[in-house]
């Protein structure tokens, strides 16, 4: 029978006095229209059409008013089971008394027409299914269901309990009862040990669940058991409880020979792991009962740096510790030869972490440094050069930046070359972090630490549970790369061995001028092997790297486009160390090393000039260093060291003929005194003396740093220092008889630096930094053309290394914003400006005045995937045509990385915008400005086992 219009009028007057459902968001209008269409269809008796409109409205904005109308439609269509279900669902809403009475009357009206089953469970809250689970849950118990008469299978399911099911027979007009007693899923812990009868609880003050020896039943998962017995010190045990199985746990309580107190540990992150005296003690928040006295507390959690501090437990008292777990960069060693926090380092310092190295997919040290404040790169297709704060003199082989491999100097003694790309290592797979220390470092390291010190810190092992790591990668420029690492670790003993190789075909073409395009001749190959071992206080590290590179740029007047212009570099060292801390105030470090470097270049000249001519440079040398750190009084640390270097052999040739060389002997002594004058003020004063037996001068290099916290969120560093660089064998004695003559005598270069850096923390994670500096450089060594031909290069004027007259000046300003709340989440922005004066035209022409860099890293989803992007802008080098032809470029990189089980992956694009630009280099290294590489890509997969 078709109902009258009183049906929809009742729905409207009962629940819809506002004439429309309560709607929100952008779906409001659509939901209201659907609701009104449903009302119109219902008034016409078109109940199926009304249902479609009501369902549309309900999907857009769930609303109990619409739910009532859906039930009325089902009742009008004689679908009483569905109508009963929707009326019944309405009763779970918070209805006014009058509305609830109306819904109850509707249910009573339908009860004779349906078969009902009342499903209850103990405990409540189980999902209820009918006949098939794939049709979805009918709600949670307790639940009354209206079903068709006959037999039905009722199934219930609740997390942590075993599922249950039963078959019921239903008749129209009657209600059946079905009750389920759900069985808790548990695992067992087989308890043994001493003392017998000890009480076991699963909360600090909960009921006793077992006694020793015995068996405890617990829900599966990681649990903390609290064990106590009279006369014994209470203890906690962390145990992984398996489902439907048992795990043994041996308990051994220590006889309580002294009173105990309670340590209450909380943190800004719940669930952080707590360890006391090296043993697991639960998760925050937790209460630990400990014997009175000193204890070591450790609190750690993912994405943040752990807290480690000493706590004093007082008998019968409660000690509270709240751990503020926040991200902090790892400590650095390069600034003071001791591990210190970045904020305490006596210099402007940046740390690139292993997380950043993996997320951004940097392939070489130079790439990793490209976004660091104040650093820019130049690639002349022979080597990659680092420019620091406006200085990258043409032809410089990174001789003014000291590059360390875990504290071991990598700059060779023949040419002073600092390796920064594949000539240092095939890749950065073995690197744990990179420390960048700006400013003069000769007070600790001697020659070469002119503009800064860069310390590449490798990892010591893969971890106790991993023993093999394999990496394969392909990329643009025809690049393929492989890396293998094997590792073993047991306590303070570890061994790590790695090997890697790469090959690249390089650019298909190199446009040096509009009328000179070189095809191919840009290939590169490299191989690296390394070993690290530790046995207690003794450690050993060794590394071997060889790299060959084809040269498409026709350097040194060679024949453009001729095959055979190549360079090959080999760098190797082995170092043994003994490091021991005798107490908190006294430590000793002794090391000895053997180094070697080899260089061979083949340059193809016209036939009249001799054709293909080789040149070589080689050196073997030994170094030794002893360093002691003493704490003379509270707040003081004095570092005293002596260092010696003996050059066993230095050899160089040109045109196949040996050239004059001299092997050097160097003896050095240094000290660094660090004082905490006040909780907000520290002073660091260093001094080093270097005695070269073949030089008349004895460089004396000081550094003074004042580190202050003028207010709670401010950090100020004031640094003044001096550094030097001694002329190397190549600069003093190399001559080829064609284009370059020997210098004979050179004075050491010197630099005096004044720097002020201030940081302000807007929050614990967000820091603003501004800095200003002034450099004064004297006796800068540069390759220059002699004024009149000397006859050493035939009839042509020779190139010679000479000391520049006067003092070159640099004034610079830098600013940065750094936000990093976690290991995988950061935003880093920086800007650098430098102005040079009284410097040679070549030096000025090689330096961009403006550098802007931005880095962004963000986890995706659960954090197992990361998105990273880096953008750098460098202004045009002055003196050229301007724009991209003078090096102006915006370089954007993008990377996607993550972990999947034992696999780690990276996919990235370098120079995403395919910026085309050239860089001016010295005329000796290229016949024309060198075009830089365009867009390339990298795909890398690593498996750890």
């Amino acid at each position: 029978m078709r109902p009258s219009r009183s049906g929809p009028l009742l729905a409207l007057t009962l629940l819809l006095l506002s004439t429309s459902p309560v709607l929100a968001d952008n779906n409001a209008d659509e939901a209201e229209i659907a609701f009104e269409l449903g009302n119109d269809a219902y008034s016409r008796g078109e109940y199926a059409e009304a249902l479609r409109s009501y369902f549309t409205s309900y999907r857009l904005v769930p609303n109990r008013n619409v739910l009532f109308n859906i039930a009325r439609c089902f009742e009008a269509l004689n679908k009483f089971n569905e109508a009963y279900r929707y009326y019944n669902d309405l009763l779970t809403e918070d209805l006014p008394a009058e509305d609830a009475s109306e819904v109850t009357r509707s249910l009573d009206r339908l009860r004779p027409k349906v078969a009902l089953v009342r499903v209850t469970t103990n405990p409540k809250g189980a999902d209820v299914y009918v006949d098939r689970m794939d049709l979805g849950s009918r709600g949670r118990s307790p639940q009354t269901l209206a079903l068709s008469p006959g037999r039905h299978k009722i199934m219930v399911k609740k997390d942590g309990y075993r599922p249950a099911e039963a078959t019921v027979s239903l008749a129209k007009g009657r209600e059946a009862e079905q009750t389920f007693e759900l069985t808790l899923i548990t695992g067992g812990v087989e308890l043994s040990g001493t003392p017998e009868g000890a009480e076991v609880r699963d909360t600090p003050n909960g009921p006793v669940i077992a006694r020793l020896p015995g068996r405890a039943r617990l829900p599966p998962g990681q649990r903390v058991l609290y064990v106590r017995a009279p006369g014994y010190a209470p203890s906690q045990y962390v145990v992984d409880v398996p489902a439907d199985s048992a795990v043994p746990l041996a308990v051994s309580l220590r006889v309580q020979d002294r009173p105990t107190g309670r340590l209450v540990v909380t943190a800004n992150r719940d669930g952080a792991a707590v360890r006391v005296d090296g043993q697991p003690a639960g998760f925050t928040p937790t209460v630990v009962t400990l014997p009175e006295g000193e204890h070591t507390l450790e609190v750690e959690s993912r994405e943040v740096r752990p807290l480690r501090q000493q706590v004093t437990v007082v008998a019968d008292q409660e000690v509270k510790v709240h751990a503020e777990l926040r991200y902090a960069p790892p400590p650095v060693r390069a600034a003071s030869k001791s591990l210190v926090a970045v904020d305490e380092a006596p210099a402007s310092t940046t740390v690139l972490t292993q997380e950043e190295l993996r997320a951004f997919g940097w392939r070489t040290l130079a790439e990793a440094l490209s976004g660091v404040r104040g650093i820019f790169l130049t690639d002349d297709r022979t080597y990659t050069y680092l420019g620091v704060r406006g200085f990258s003199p043409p032809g410089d082989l990174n001789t003014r930046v000291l590059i360390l491999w875990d504290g071991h100097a990598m700059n060779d003694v023949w040419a002073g070359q600092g390796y920064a790309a594949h000539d240092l290592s095939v890749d950065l797979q073995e690197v744990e972090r990179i420390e960048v220390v700006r400013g003069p470092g000769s007070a600790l390291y001697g020659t070469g630490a002119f503009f800064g010190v860069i310390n590449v810190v490798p990892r010591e092992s893969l971890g106790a549970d991993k023993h093999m790591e394999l990496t394969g990668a392909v990329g643009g420029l025809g690049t393929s790369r492989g890396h293998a690492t094997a590792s073993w670790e047991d306590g303070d003993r570890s061994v790590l061995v790695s090997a890697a190789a790469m090959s690249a075909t390089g650019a298909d073409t190199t446009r040096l001028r509009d009328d000179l395009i070189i095809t191919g001749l840009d290939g590169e190959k490299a191989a690296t092997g390394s070993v690290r071992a530790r046995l207690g206080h003794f450690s050993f590290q060794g590394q071997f790297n060889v790299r060959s590179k084809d040269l498409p740029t026709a350097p040194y007047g060679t024949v453009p486009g001729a095959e055979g212009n190549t360079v090959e570099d080999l760098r190797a060292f082995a170092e043994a160390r003994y490091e021991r801390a005798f107490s908190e105030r006294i430590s000793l470090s002794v090391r000895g090393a053997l180094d070697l470097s080899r260089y061979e270049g083949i340059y193809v000249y016209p036939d009249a000039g001799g054709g293909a001519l080789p040149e070589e440079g080689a050196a073997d040398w030994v170094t030794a260093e002893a360093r002691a750190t003493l704490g003379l009084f509270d707040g003081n640390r004095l570092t005293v060291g002596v260092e010696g270097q003996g050059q066993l052999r230095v050899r160089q040739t040109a045109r196949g003929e040996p050239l004059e060389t001299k092997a050097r002997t160097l003896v050095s002594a240094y000290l660094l005194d660090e004082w905490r004058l006040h909780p907000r003020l520290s002073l660091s004063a260093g001094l080093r003396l270097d005695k070269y037996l073949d030089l008349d001068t004895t460089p004396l290099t000081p550094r003074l740093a004042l580190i202050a916290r003028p207010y709670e969120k401010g950090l100020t560093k004031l640094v003044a220092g001096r550094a030097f660089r001694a002329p190397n064998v190549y600069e003093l004695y190399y001559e080829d008889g064609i284009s370059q003559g020997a210098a004979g005598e050179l004075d050491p270069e010197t630099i005096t630096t004044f720097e002020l850096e201030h940081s302000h923390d807007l929050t614990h994670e967000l820091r603003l930094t501004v800095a200003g500096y002034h450099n004064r450089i004297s006796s800068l060594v540069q390759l220059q053309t002699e004024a009149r031909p000397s006859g050493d290069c035939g009839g042509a004027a020779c190139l010679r290394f000479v000391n520049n007259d006067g003092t070159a000046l640099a004034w610079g300003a830098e600013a940065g914003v750094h936000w990093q709340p976690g290991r995988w989440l950061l935003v880093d922005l920086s800007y650098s400006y430098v102005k040079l004066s009284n410097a040679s035209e070549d030096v000025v022409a090689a330096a961009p005045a403006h550098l802007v860099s931005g880095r962004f890293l963000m986890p995706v989803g659960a954090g197992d995937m990361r998105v990273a992007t880096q953008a750098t802008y460098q202004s045009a080098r002055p003196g050229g045509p301007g724009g991209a032809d003078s090096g102006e470029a915006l370089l954007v990189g993008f990377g996607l990385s993550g972990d999947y089980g034992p696999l780690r992956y990276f996919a990235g694009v370098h120079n995403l915008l395919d910026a085309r630009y050239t860089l001016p280099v010295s005329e000796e290294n290229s016949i024309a400005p060198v075009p830089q590489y365009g867009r390339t890509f990298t795909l890398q997969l690593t498996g750890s086992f």
Side-chain angles (χ1 to χ4, degrees), residues 41 89 164 226 236 317 334 380 602 628 773 815:
D89 289 345
Y226 302 82
Q236 291 90 252
Q317 293 187 25
D380 65 4
I602 298 178
Y773 62 88

Side-chain angles (χ1 to χ4, degrees), residues 236-314:
Q236 291 90 252
Y237 294 86
V238 179
V239 59
D240 286 315
V241 181
D244 300 324
S245 181
V247 61
L249 176 63
V251 173
S252 179
L253 298 186
R254 185 176 68 256
V255 176
Q256 188 170 4
D257 52 3
R258 50 181 171 159
T260 63
R262 289 157 59 90
L263 176 64
V264 180
V265 184
T266 58
N268 58 328
R269 293 185 176 218
D270 288 342
V274 178
R275 296 169 65 90
V276 176
D277 298 330
Q279 299 299 317
F283 306 91
T284 57
T286 188
V287 180
V288 187
T289 302
L290 297 169
E292 65 176 351
E294 293 289 327
H295 297 274
T296 301
L297 171 67
E298 297 172 270
V299 185
E300 59 183 17
S301 181
R302 288 188 63 188
E303 307 298 327
V304 294
R305 297 295 170 190
L307 167 77
R308 187 178 189 274
Q309 72 178 56
Q310 296 297 118
V311 294
T312 302
V313 175
V314 180

Side-chain angles (χ1 to χ4, degrees), residues 437-462:
V437 180
R438 302 173 186 86
S442 291
L444 285 176
Y445 297 99
T447 185
F450 204 75
F451 292 118
V453 177
I454 297 168
N455 188 25
V456 181
V457 182
R459 58 186 175 182
E460 290 195 349
S461 74
L462 298 176

Side-chain angles (χ1 to χ4, degrees), residues 460-736:
E460 290 195 349
S461 74
L462 298 176
D465 58 341
K466 294 181 180 179
H467 304 288
M468 178 69 71
E469 184 177 276
L470 301 175
T471 298
V474 296
L477 303 176
T479 302
S480 59
R481 173 165 45 89
H483 192 115
T485 303
S487 172
W488 172 84
E489 181 180 12
D490 182 15
D492 62 354
R493 299 176 299 170
S494 64
V495 177
L496 182 143
V497 180
S498 71
M502 63 82 63
S503 176
T505 57
D508 294 333
T509 60
T510 301
R511 181 186 291 272
L512 297 177
R513 296 193 301 254
D514 291 340
D515 60 343
L516 181 58
I517 300 177
I518 307 300
T519 302
L521 305 182
D522 194 33
E524 183 177 24
K525 294 181 179 179
T528 302
S530 69
V531 59
R532 291 177 65 83
R534 179 173 294 278
L535 177 60
H537 301 297
F538 293 92
S539 63
F540 173 84
Q541 65 170 338
Q543 180 158 314
F544 171 93
N545 188 82
V546 61
R547 175 249 196 185
S548 63
K549 179 68 173 65
D550 296 332
L551 312 181
T553 56
Y556 302 109
T558 55
V559 178
E563 293 188 16
N565 281 323
T566 62
V567 294
E568 181 174 300
D569 294 277
L570 181 150
R571 183 70 175 88
F573 75 91
E575 180 184 82
R577 295 184 186 180
Y578 175 80
E579 296 176 308
R580 183 174 182 180
F582 296 97
S583 67
E584 291 186 359
R585 290 180 176 244
I586 302 175
S587 63
L588 176 68
S589 175
V590 180
R591 68 179 183 92
L594 170 66
D595 288 74
L596 62 89
S597 66
R598 300 288 185 270
Y599 158 81
E600 181 180 5
I602 298 178
Y603 298 96
V604 181
Y605 294 95
D607 291 340
L613 299 176
E615 66 175 27
E616 298 179 2
D620 304 321
W621 68 100
V622 293
T623 55
E625 181 183 14
R627 182 176 71 251
T629 301
L630 309 171
L632 301 181
F633 47 84
D634 289 342
N636 172 262
R637 181 174 58 198
L638 175 66
T639 301
V640 180
V642 293
E643 187 174 356
Q645 181 187 99
Q647 298 178 3
L648 305 178
R649 183 183 69 145
V650 179
R651 181 174 61 89
Q652 60 183 352
T653 67
R655 302 170 64 91
E657 298 295 329
L659 302 177
E660 178 187 358
T661 61
K662 286 184 180 180
R664 279 180 171 166
T665 301
L666 167 66
V667 179
S668 307
Y670 61 88
L671 63 84
L672 176 68
D673 202 3
E674 298 167 285
W675 294 351
R676 183 169 292 279
L677 305 175
H678 182 272
R680 292 181 178 270
L681 184 63
S682 298
L683 177 67
S684 173
L687 184 68
R688 176 170 170 135
L689 184 145
D690 291 271
K691 178 57 181 175
Y692 290 85
L693 301 188
D694 65 321
L695 294 179
D696 294 333
T697 59
T698 302
L700 187 65
T701 48
R703 184 184 68 183
L704 184 68
L706 194 65
I707 304 168
R709 291 190 176 274
Y711 53 95
E712 182 179 355
K713 296 184 178 182
L715 175 67
T716 301
K717 294 183 180 182
L718 177 61
V719 183
R722 185 177 175 87
F724 79 100
R725 187 183 72 87
N728 53 60
V729 173
Y730 172 70
E731 292 169 334
L732 287 169
Y733 304 115
Y734 179 83
E735 57 181 344
D736 59 12

Side-chain angles (χ1 to χ4, degrees), residues 861-875:
D864 292 333
M865 179 182 293
R866 275 79 66 179
V867 173
T869 185
Q870 174 176 300
T872 59
Y873 167 79
Q874 55 188 18
S875 63

